[in-house]
Amino acid sequence: MNKGSSLGTVKSNTIYIFFVFLFSPLLALIISIKNYKEVWAKNIVLLFSAFYGFMFVIGNAGSDINRYKARFEKQIDLKISLSEYIKLLFKEDNLDFLQPLLSYIVSNFTSDFRIFLLLIGLIFGFFLSRNIWYVISTVNNKPRWFSILFILVFSFIYAIWDMNVMRFTLAAHIFFYGVFNVLVRKNNWGYLFALISIFMHFSFMIPLFLFILYKLLGSNYVKIYFVLFIFSFFTSELNLSVVKEQSSILPQNYIEKSDDYLNEDYKEKREELNSNKNFRGKFYQSSLKWSVGVLMTFVYFKRNKKRNVNL
């Protein structure tokens, strides 16, 4: 097959899958997963994420997305310019200003909150799809069971339905997108995206600091990194009062933001919300946590085994 006919086939397949998407987004998503090697596959995931955002139904009064909707509705009535709103954000010491800024921009064009969620879905879908396909690109042509399991677990850590959490999940995918480009693809512009993640959620100052520390120390301390991972894995339930005391070294605006998360009322509220969830909701996060722990342990020992064989 010559190059011209090959390009023609790719173009016709792309047009075909987009017609399928217009008919049934879910069917197009299934086809894209099955044909993950096609160039259009990741873009279908992007479009499905946007579609999911637009069609998202707020069913839980305790969901984070209610706060974003309330902010959006307040912004509709604001009679200030974009520059004035930006000044207002910085006056409030909002380092993580990207989400409210996007919300304000959309509120100037429409009062329909679904349009804002459509935009969030597009952004979320871009980083989600690229990150998944970055991971897929590291796998051999014939992925083994472990590779398939790893890709599945990674894809579900912050999946499309976690869009309602919004700021944190977006920041997580933006951060990974940047880090992967730096570490694997050797693109230094990835540092920019790692930095941008803190403007989506302030807490990513911590992983950004750890990432920079790792780059300074290098990859010669894998055993120490693994021990720290195991330690953090088994200490997810922390004494909030102790953590709160240690956070006193942070700037005042970060202490105030941290207070929202480092108090017993917040912890009890999260536990109450979790107890009201269905079976999937209760055990979804814990099952992912243990899956990641087991997979990372497997990767560590498999890596050491290969190094010993090479020696």
Side-chain angles (χ1 to χ4, degrees):
M1 182 179 292
N2 58 45
K3 186 176 180 180
S5 61
S6 178
L7 290 174
T9 301
V10 171
K11 185 176 180 180
S12 61
N13 288 341
T14 303
I15 294 173
Y16 162 75
I17 193 63
F18 282 113
F19 270 113
V20 173
F21 180 85
L22 292 174
F23 172 73
S24 174
L26 181 59
L27 178 60
L29 178 66
I30 295 172
I31 294 174
S32 69
I33 294 172
K34 184 177 180 182
N35 297 273
Y36 66 91
K37 292 184 179 180
E38 299 294 336
V39 294
W40 44 260
K42 57 179 175 287
N43 291 326
I44 294 299
V45 175
L46 185 158
L47 290 176
F48 184 85
S49 178
F51 170 77
Y52 182 89
F54 184 75
M55 299 300 293
F56 188 86
V57 177
I58 303 175
N60 188 340
S63 297
D64 291 345
I65 199 168
N66 288 284
R67 292 188 290 108
Y68 301 121
K69 184 178 182 181
R71 178 192 285 261
F72 180 82
E73 291 172 346
K74 289 181 180 178
Q75 289 171 330
I76 295 173
D77 299 324
L78 284 178
K79 304 301 179 183
I80 59 176
S81 65
L82 177 60
S83 60
E84 289 174 326
Y85 186 73
I86 292 174
K87 289 179 182 177
L88 179 63
L89 287 175
F90 283 101
K91 187 177 180 180
E92 296 174 352
D93 291 326
N94 280 330
L95 179 64
D96 41 359
F97 61 85
L98 283 181
Q99 184 276 325
L101 181 60
L102 290 172
S103 178
Y104 171 79
I105 292 173
V106 174
S107 69
N108 276 268
F109 295 95
T110 178
S111 60
D112 191 344
F113 185 61
R114 294 179 302 171
I115 302 300
F116 172 64
L117 292 182
L118 172 67
L119 174 62
I120 292 299
L122 278 171
I123 299 172
F124 188 89
F126 173 82
F127 288 104
L128 171 68
S129 60
R130 269 56 188 175
N131 288 340
I132 292 174
W133 263 260
Y134 277 164
V135 174
I136 291 175
S137 68
T138 64
V139 179
N140 296 326
N141 291 330
K142 293 182 179 179
R144 299 172 62 183
W145 68 268
F146 167 76
S147 300
I148 295 173
L149 182 60
F150 185 88
I151 292 169
L152 284 174
V153 171
F154 177 82
S155 302
F156 283 102
I157 290 176
Y158 288 123
I160 291 173
W161 48 81
D162 291 315
M163 191 190 307
N164 67 310
V165 181
M166 201 172 298
R167 287 193 307 127
F168 190 88
T169 51
L170 272 171
H173 276 293
I174 293 170
F175 180 79
F176 182 85
Y177 180 82
V179 168
F180 193 96
N181 271 285
V182 173
L183 297 181
V184 180
R185 302 175 73 89
K186 308 303 179 183
N187 295 324
N188 287 331
W189 53 259
Y191 284 109
L192 176 61
F193 285 93
L195 178 64
I196 288 174
S197 67
I198 69 175
F199 300 132
M200 186 59 72
H201 199 286
F202 75 98
S203 65
F204 275 79
M205 292 186 69
I206 297 174
L208 179 61
F209 168 76
L210 294 175
F211 173 56
I212 293 174
L213 183 63
Y214 167 79
K215 289 295 293 181
L216 292 174
L217 295 177
S219 57
N220 297 323
Y221 304 96
V222 177
K223 287 185 179 180
I224 296 177
Y225 299 148
F226 180 70
V227 170
L228 290 175
F229 166 73
I230 295 298
F231 177 76
S232 66
F233 186 79
F234 286 104
T235 56
S236 58
E237 296 299 327
L238 298 172
N239 186 323
L240 295 182
S241 61
V242 173
V243 178
K244 194 171 182 178
E245 289 177 5
Q246 297 300 319
S247 68
S248 61
I249 63 174
L250 295 172
Q252 184 61 34
N253 57 317
Y254 294 114
I255 295 176
E256 293 173 359
K257 284 177 174 290
S258 300
D259 285 344
D260 293 336
Y261 302 95
L262 299 178
N263 63 74
E264 293 298 330
D265 290 339
Y266 176 79
K267 181 180 178 182
E268 290 176 4
K269 181 180 177 182
R270 300 304 303 180
E271 291 175 350
E272 181 182 351
L273 289 173
N274 189 60
S275 65
N276 292 329
K277 291 180 180 179
N278 56 26
F279 180 82
R280 186 199 69 83
K282 288 181 179 179
F283 299 102
Y284 170 67
Q285 291 183 339
S286 59
S287 61
L288 277 177
K289 171 185 172 180
W290 283 100
S291 297
V292 170
V294 171
L295 284 171
M296 290 298 98
T297 303
F298 184 86
V299 168
Y300 172 75
F301 286 106
K302 190 175 181 65
R303 175 183 182 277
N304 283 349
K305 184 178 179 180
K306 285 187 176 181
R307 290 182 67 182
N308 292 333
V309 170
N310 292 335
L311 292 174

